[in-house]
Amino acid sequence: MRIIIRDTAQEASRLAASQIITSLPTNGRLGVATGSTPLALYGFLREAHAAGEFTLEGCSAWALDEYVQIPEDHPERYRNVLLNELVENGGTGLAADDLHTPDGAAEDPEQAARDYESQIAPGVDVQILGLGSNGHIGFNEPAGSLSSRTHVGHLTPTTRSDNARFFGNDIDAVPSLCITQGLATIMSAREIVLLAFGEGKAEAIAQIVEGGVAQRWPGSILQHHENVTVYVDEAAASRLDLADYYKTLN
Ligand code: F6R
């Protein structure tokens, strides 16, 4: 893993955006995360698009996950979040039809998960990831298989509590089921860019970067990927034993 530590989330997000702009091939496939962490990065991608330096025209974008049975017009439905970030508001050149999200409204979510898995194969070119405070990537919660493919998952109370801020601070309003890319699906990406900011992510970052590979900290599977860059601010890096060493490398 390459660990990039910057004073602020803004600086780290700007660098992550540059990496994506450089790495994504023409007509490439970009894996996209939701949540609050990548919002600044998406802002930089929109800015670069407005400046004529970058476009997702001809590319496709693939969401990590979607809530099951969330109303179609709900602002926190991940398809709506990503349309808002990547297609509307000046956009990034991405066409709405080229944004792929698991079908959380499907009558048979298990089948929808299998369908999504076959559509995303053989994996994206560049995958953007956030990190849960409990170490999840996508919605792969602790104790799930390290070899999982896209599946229906149950959110932990920790994740529902973390995400309650998007649902009027009402944990009961946070859906408990999701369709998520599995860990093996995420690992099939050619290149991975993970971002984590704030003290609330410090333990998870220390565990996935410097701990052992274990189901308890699902993001630790990334230690087996050959092309992962982790962008953190000082707060998220605060529990890394080797932070000073990583800083000498970049
Ligand atoms: C979102 C996702 C999650 C989030 C994680 C962090 O598509 O898959 O893994 O990246 O829960 O969320 P934030 O960024 O809101 O702290």
Side-chain angles (χ1 to χ4, degrees):
M1 284 185 186
R2 214 158 55 104
I3 317 296
I4 312 262
I5 303 171
R6 287 294 179 273
D7 286 344
T8 65
Q10 279 295 105
E11 286 174 70
S13 300
R14 185 186 292 279
L15 276 181
S18 315
Q19 179 176 342
I20 286 154
I21 290 168
T22 307
S23 292
L24 192 69
T26 308
N27 301 329
R29 289 153 62 95
L30 178 64
V32 287
T34 48
S36 51
T37 305
L39 296 181
L41 181 155
Y42 294 148
F44 287 125
L45 294 184
R46 289 195 300 272
E47 262 179 45
H49 179 256
E53 296 159 5
F54 171 71
T55 185
L56 284 178
E57 193 180 340
C59 293
S60 56
W62 298 81
L64 279 168
D65 38 28
E66 181 62 277
Y67 292 115
V68 166
Q69 298 302 342
I70 191 167
E72 201 165 310
D73 59 353
H74 197 291
E76 285 306 316
R77 180 185 179 223
Y78 284 164
R79 181 166 189 87
N80 296 338
V81 170
L82 290 166
L83 283 170
N84 193 45
E85 291 300 317
L86 301 174
V87 177
E88 292 146 16
N89 298 316
T92 54
L94 182 73
D97 285 350
D98 291 325
L99 171 64
H100 302 269
T101 51
D103 183 4
E107 247 175 59
D108 182 350
E110 302 280 356
Q111 184 58 47
R114 284 191 291 275
D115 291 346
Y116 196 66
E117 178 68 30
S118 54
Q119 288 162 20
I120 205 166
V124 299
D125 294 296
V126 183
Q127 176 68 56
I128 299 165
L129 293 177
L131 180 68
S133 64
N134 63 3
H136 73 214
I137 52 174
F139 275 143
N140 291 278
E141 297 286 39
S145 163
L146 294 177
S147 306
S148 59
R149 293 283 170 181
T150 305
H151 61 280
V152 176
H154 293 256
L155 300 185
T156 58
T158 304
T159 298
R160 294 182 73 215
S161 159
D162 286 349
N163 286 6
R165 68 193 196 281
F166 299 119
F167 292 84
N169 289 319
D170 177 7
I171 189 170
D172 294 328
V174 183
S176 53
L177 286 181
C178 64
I179 298 175
T180 180
Q181 286 189 37
L183 292 174
T185 321
I186 292 170
M187 288 289 283
S188 64
R190 249 70 72 215
E191 180 172 337
I192 295 181
V193 173
L194 182 143
L195 302 95
F197 305 129
E199 213 182 324
K201 303 293 172 73
E203 184 181 12
I205 279 291
Q207 293 286 350
I208 72 156
V209 173
E210 295 178 338
V213 175
Q215 291 183 339
R216 172 62 188 88
W217 298 97
S220 62
I221 191 68
L222 299 175
Q223 294 178 30
H224 283 296
H225 195 286
E226 62 185 355
N227 191 352
V228 178
T229 308
V230 173
Y231 289 90
V232 281
D233 61 3
E234 286 284 356
S238 60
R239 293 182 63 172
L240 286 169
D241 284 345
L242 302 182
D244 289 342
Y245 168 65
Y246 306 138
K247 285 179 187 170
T248 65
L249 302 179
N250 296 289

